[in-house]
């Protein structure tokens, strides 16, 4: 019997569950049940205890521990099979890679309240304060070629954007190509994909996702572009619920991707989420291109129509794309 087991029963009923029923369900003593209930109360769960009736869950705290996520009744509908939680860690991506070579099971999520060494693209530091965001990494072994793995970043971005919209339908949530999630043109989420591979074989893929959910303060160097879901919408989102909905959305988009192992059948859905679409953009990097963003192709490349009418494709990782006059 675990906290997850007890929580599943409490969450999946609207009535009281007797201590005797819990004892019979798990084959343990009333004392064992009482201990788990008290542990859950200490974690912040509001559980009502009534003589001759039993236990009833009234409210759950905003925590992202494994048992809170795995006890969600929708968890089994998603892509993630197992969650490993840390109070604090250097980086969830690092931990996923440490376990990657020896992990041959179903997709696993590593999640933490705080990172001391979170990283964004190009090695930039990712600020990961405690108690307000989602800092997580998804470890799995897709049956694709290494050259196709970068497209999974776009799949993950679509899943995050769709999950936010599922919980907050009124939010102006979009994707800045290729994988920054923005609300009201302010960045709330970054995604970093890494892998271990040989020439024609992937050992594992790790998709690291950092979401500023209920964050209220940001360092000076990023406060002009960074924001949180809460700061932009005024709504505090339950973080574990967002993780569960992300898992469901990722499964949906991933299954579509795996049919052809490209983004061909996801292009239309992605382009609807793409904030750059129809806007003037410019690239920075080895190649400088200015023009209007048309959308993506089946490889996830951004198609830009230049002033002379030519269509140029831009691959993520080679260049960065910004709006001519703003971040997006």
């Amino acid at each position: 019997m675990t906290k997850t087991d007890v929580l599943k029963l409490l969450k999946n009923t609207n009535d009281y569950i007797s201590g005797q029923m819990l004892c019979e369900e798990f084959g343990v003593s009333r004392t064992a049940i009482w201990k788990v209930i008290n542990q859950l109360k200490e974690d912040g769960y509001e559980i009502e205890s009534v003589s001759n009736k039993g236990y009833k869950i009234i409210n759950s705290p905003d925590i992202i521990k494994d048992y809170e996520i795995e006890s969600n009744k929708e968890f089994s509908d998603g892509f993630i099979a197992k969650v490993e939680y840390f109070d604090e860690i250097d980086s969830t991506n690092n931990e996923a890679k440490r376990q990657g070579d020896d992990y041959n099971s179903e997709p696993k999520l590593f999640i933490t309240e705080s990172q001391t060494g979170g990283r964004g693209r190009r090695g930039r530091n990712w600020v990961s304060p405690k108690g307000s965001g989602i800092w997580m990494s998804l470890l799995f072994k897709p049956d694709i070629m290494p050259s196709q793995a970068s497209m999974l970043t776009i799949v993950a971005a679509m899943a995050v954007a769709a999950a936010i919209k599922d919980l907050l339908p009124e939010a102006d949530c979009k994707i800045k190509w290729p994988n920054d999630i923005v609300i009201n043109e302010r960045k709330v989420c970054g995604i970093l994909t890494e892998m271990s591979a040989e020439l024609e074989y992937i050992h594992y893929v790790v998709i690291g996702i950092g979401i500023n959910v209920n964050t209220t303060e940001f360092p000076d160097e990023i406060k002009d572009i960074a924001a949180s879901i809460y700061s932009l919408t005024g709504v505090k989102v339950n973080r574990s619920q967002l993780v569960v909905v992300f898992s469901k959305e990722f499964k949906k988009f991933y299954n579509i991707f795996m049919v052809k192992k490209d983004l061909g059948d996801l292009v239309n859905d992605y382009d609807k989420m793409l904030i750059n679409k129809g806007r003037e953009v410019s690239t920075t990097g080895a190649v400088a291109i200015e023009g209007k963003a048309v959308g993506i192709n089946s490889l996830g490349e951004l198609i830009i129509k230049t002033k002379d009418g030519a269509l140029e494709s831009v691959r993520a990782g080679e260049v960065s794309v910004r709006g001519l006059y703003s971040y997006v």
Side-chain angles (χ1 to χ4, degrees), residues 116-130:
T116 58
R119 292 176 294 114
R121 284 182 296 167
R122 297 182 175 85
R124 298 188 184 104
N125 180 52
W126 183 273
V127 180
S128 313
K130 185 176 181 179

Side-chain angles (χ1 to χ4, degrees), residues 175-177 274-284 287-295 302-307 312 314 319-328:
I175 301 173
K176 174 186 176 290
W177 183 85
L274 182 62
I275 196 169
N276 308 96
K277 183 176 173 63
R279 295 191 178 191
E280 296 293 327
V281 298
S282 63
T283 67
T284 58
V287 180
I289 301 172
E290 281 192 12
K292 183 175 291 186
V294 176
L302 183 66
I303 308 302
I304 300 176
K305 186 174 184 179
T306 63
K307 293 180 180 179
E312 300 281 354
V314 178
V319 298
S320 295
V321 169
R322 293 179 65 90
L324 283 184
Y325 307 109
S326 68
Y327 166 65
V328 296

Side-chain angles (χ1 to χ4, degrees), residues 170-276:
E170 301 304 316
D172 182 27
C173 185
K174 299 286 186 179
I175 301 173
K176 174 186 176 290
W177 183 85
N179 56 13
D180 283 352
I181 309 302
V182 297
I183 295 178
N184 300 344
E185 305 194 1
R186 301 283 297 279
K187 182 175 178 178
V188 298
C189 172
I191 300 173
L192 175 66
T193 298
E194 301 180 277
M195 70 174 170
S196 172
E198 299 174 23
L199 186 61
E200 296 185 350
Y201 176 77
I202 291 178
H203 295 288
Y204 61 80
V205 167
V206 174
I207 301 179
I209 300 171
I211 310 175
N212 298 325
V213 183
N214 300 318
T215 316
T216 57
E217 296 182 2
F218 298 92
D220 290 341
E221 61 268 23
I222 63 170
K223 66 181 182 181
D224 290 337
I225 63 168
S228 69
I229 297 173
Y230 172 68
S231 70
L232 295 171
T233 67
V235 178
K236 287 204 170 183
V237 173
N238 182 281
R239 292 176 296 157
S240 65
Q241 181 65 26
L242 182 55
V243 172
V244 171
V245 178
F246 159 78
S247 179
K248 291 175 61 178
E249 292 290 356
F250 187 88
K251 181 179 181 179
K252 178 181 71 177
F253 293 128
Y254 178 79
N255 286 345
I256 294 172
F257 166 80
M258 288 300 293
V259 172
K260 297 179 180 177
K261 300 184 179 179
D262 67 25
L263 299 168
D265 292 332
L266 292 172
V267 165
N268 289 337
D269 287 333
Y270 181 86
D271 284 351
K272 291 176 183 177
M273 302 178 182
L274 182 62
I275 196 169
N276 308 96

Side-chain angles (χ1 to χ4, degrees), residues 21-77:
M21 177 182 172
L22 291 171
C23 292
E24 293 173 357
E25 176 71 24
F26 301 120
V28 298
S29 67
R30 281 183 174 270
T31 301
I33 296 296
W34 179 81
K35 285 181 178 179
V36 171
I37 294 293
N38 277 343
Q39 288 171 359
L40 291 172
K41 288 181 178 180
E42 289 172 1
D43 288 337
Y45 291 90
E46 187 179 347
I47 300 174
E48 194 173 67
S49 304
V50 178
S51 297
N52 300 321
K53 284 189 174 182
Y55 304 102
K56 182 178 182 181
I57 191 163
I58 305 300
N59 197 19
S60 297
D62 181 29
I63 60 175
I64 50 174
K65 293 186 177 181
D66 46 5
Y67 49 84
E68 168 61 18
I69 296 170
E70 291 177 352
S71 64
N72 189 299
K73 61 184 178 181
E74 297 179 298
F75 177 76
S76 61
D77 297 330

Side-chain angles (χ1 to χ4, degrees), residues 79-91:
F79 183 77
I80 300 162
K82 180 67 177 174
V83 178
E84 186 167 351
Y85 167 81
F86 302 87
D87 285 326
E88 184 176 272
I89 198 172
D90 57 344
S91 159

